Amino acid sequence: MVWLDTNSLKRYNNSPSILLFMDKFFEIIAGYGQFPFGIVVGIWLARGAYNQALKFMGQTHASLLEEKKQLRETVEAQQKRIDLLHDEAYSEKKRIGER
Amino acid sequence: MDILSFTIFAAICTAIAFLLIQLIVVFPAWRRFRIQKATTSLSKCLKRLNSDSLLNGKIHNGHYLHDRFYRLLFSFFLNDSPKIKSTANMGYDRDAEREMSQFRREINDLDPETTATIDEALSAITQIVILHNPVKFSIYLLRSRQSRVVRENGSFKKRMVRGGEYLTVSDKITFDTHCHA
């Protein structure tokens, strides 16, 4: 591999600094292993995954608000039931009292 | 290292990274979302029952529907702990089978709308319990005789409803209801 050759620095001794920089750059990249640009792929995958997770979190929040609404309506319906039962019990009591 | 081996290496690395990220990031969020969706479905059923059949007196005291099912439904909203545990095994249980058939008869005696509501709630209960104990319950559902009986002439949804019936009559879900509020 060209960029692993340390003698290449000597070759570019009198060349512009951009080539020296490129050489150093490829040397550093090669130090990361056999698949160095896996970092970029990993970042891309993580970005997609976090977007998906955030979407799920948004849907969860919307669902939670819906649940809250439904539970409030449940309390309302239960209050109606309580009122009905109370009316029945009260009328029964009144009837017994009249006797 | 030639181009072919490099491609294979890169593909394997990418696949492993994808799986790990899905497992660590996406799956928990998906699981939370599904649990919340099932809980919302339960709350809808609770509301419908309260404004319909409990108000009209179709469901009354002393039945499975009132004494076990409705209380179980309520417990899901009184639960303090973030985890719902269960000691149920989905294997064949003769007593539970008998009670389940009685429970099913009670449900079928009601009008079709209420029956559909209760089936939805039962399915949601099973979903919540399975999502809280994913490994254990998937194994139980796979190897249970009850599910095999249903699998012969029933869909996944029917199996879920049946699981909910079992969880209702066997009373094996433990809630953490201290109500510190």
Side-chain angles (χ1 to χ4, degrees), chain A residues 34-36 41-42 45-46 49-50 52-53 56-57 59-60 63-64 66-67 70-71 73-74 77-78 80-81 84, chain B residues 1 6 9-10 14 17-18 21-22 25-26 29-30 33 36-37 39-40 43-44 46-47 50 54-55 70 74 77:
Chain A
Q34 287 169 327
F35 182 35
V41 175
L45 285 177
Y50 274 98
Q52 223 173 336
F56 278 132
M57 279 163 74
Q59 284 173 330
T60 309
S63 190
L64 195 68
E66 177 65 27
E67 188 203 326
Q70 295 294 332
L71 286 178
E73 285 176 7
T74 306
Q78 278 183 337
K80 266 185 202 165
R81 254 180 80 206
L84 270 177
Chain B
M1 198 180 192
F6 171 76
F9 180 77
T14 310
F18 178 75
I21 285 173
Q22 291 288 318
V25 179
V26 180
W30 175 83
F33 167 59
Q36 189 50 54
K37 209 180 159 194
T39 316
T40 307
S43 72
K44 272 180 196 167
L46 197 66
K47 184 220 148 189
N50 267 300
L54 280 163
L55 195 66
Y70 187 64
F74 235 99
F77 298 102

Side-chain angles (χ1 to χ4, degrees), chain B:
Chain B
M1 198 180 192
D2 61 334
I3 188 76
L4 186 70
S5 57
F6 171 76
T7 311
I8 291 166
F9 180 77
I12 290 167
C13 280
T14 310
I16 290 169
F18 178 75
L19 281 178
L20 278 178
I21 285 173
Q22 291 288 318
L23 204 69
I24 293 164
V25 179
V26 180
F27 177 67
W30 175 83
R31 201 172 67 100
R32 277 283 138 213
F33 167 59
R34 292 299 301 192
I35 289 171
Q36 189 50 54
K37 209 180 159 194
T39 316
T40 307
S41 166
L42 271 190
S43 72
K44 272 180 196 167
C45 295
L46 197 66
K47 184 220 148 189
R48 267 186 249 147
L49 285 178
N50 267 300
S51 55
D52 249 4
S53 33
L54 280 163
L55 195 66
N56 301 339
K58 281 176 200 160
I59 297 175
H60 40 84
N61 209 342
H63 284 182
Y64 280 109
L65 277 170
H66 188 274
D67 290 5
R68 300 248 184 115
F69 172 71
Y70 187 64
R71 270 162 219 285
L72 184 73
L73 213 65
F74 235 99
S75 310
F76 275 94
F77 298 102
L78 299 177
N79 193 29
D80 268 351
S81 157
K83 177 122 178 118
I84 290 168
K85 289 173 195 161
S86 176
T87 54
N89 63 354
M90 296 295 202
Y92 183 73
D93 185 351
R94 208 162 82 182
D95 297 337
E97 278 287 330
R98 205 189 58 247
E99 286 186 315
M100 274 160 79
S101 61
Q102 286 173 16
F103 184 42
R104 187 30 60 191
R105 215 173 299 139
E106 258 177 44
I107 294 167
N108 289 338
D109 282 345
L110 298 164
D111 56 314
E113 282 168 26
T114 318
T115 306
T117 306
I118 289 165
D119 279 354
E120 199 187 320
L122 288 171
S123 166
I125 286 169
T126 321
Q127 276 179 43
I128 290 171
V129 173
I130 287 175
L131 286 166
H132 274 106
N133 313 276
V135 179
K136 191 181 158 193
F137 273 92
S138 48
I139 290 167
Y140 279 134
L141 276 178
L142 281 175
R143 61 184 264 238
S144 65
R145 199 188 145 193
Q146 280 168 6
S147 71
R148 203 178 71 227
V149 170
V150 177
R151 208 182 300 138
E152 283 161 8
N153 49 7
S155 61
F156 182 72
K157 201 187 166 192
K158 271 186 191 170
R159 212 187 305 175
M160 282 283 159
V161 171
R162 206 169 154 75
E165 280 171 27
Y166 176 69
L167 288 170
T168 307
V169 297
S170 64
D171 204 16
K172 279 181 176 169
I173 310 175
T174 47
F175 292 103
D176 195 13
T177 49
H178 298 297
C179 287
H180 293 301

Side-chain angles (χ1 to χ4, degrees), chain A:
Chain A
M1 276 183 249
V2 178
W3 56 79
L4 282 177
D5 187 13
T6 48
N7 289 326
S8 61
L9 280 173
K10 289 171 194 168
R11 229 192 303 146
Y12 295 128
N13 216 0
N14 294 319
S15 38
S17 58
I18 182 76
L19 289 176
L20 280 170
F21 171 76
M22 288 302 281
D23 235 42
K24 195 71 189 164
F25 178 73
F26 282 122
E27 208 179 303
I28 291 164
I29 290 291
Y32 284 121
Q34 287 169 327
F35 182 35
F37 287 102
I39 295 165
V40 179
V41 175
I43 288 167
W44 178 67
L45 285 177
R47 182 187 150 279
Y50 274 98
N51 276 343
Q52 223 173 336
L54 283 169
K55 202 179 82 190
F56 278 132
M57 279 163 74
Q59 284 173 330
T60 309
H61 186 243
S63 190
L64 195 68
L65 292 180
E66 177 65 27
E67 188 203 326
K68 199 182 165 189
K69 191 186 155 202
Q70 295 294 332
L71 286 178
R72 250 188 283 131
E73 285 176 7
T74 306
V75 171
E76 210 184 321
Q78 278 183 337
Q79 191 54 46
K80 266 185 202 165
R81 254 180 80 206
I82 289 167
D83 287 346
L84 270 177
L85 291 170
H86 184 263
D87 284 351
E88 277 176 25
Y90 187 70
S91 58
E92 189 80 5
K93 201 177 162 188
K94 213 175 164 186
R95 206 154 51 76
I96 292 164
E98 276 169 8
R99 260 184 233 163

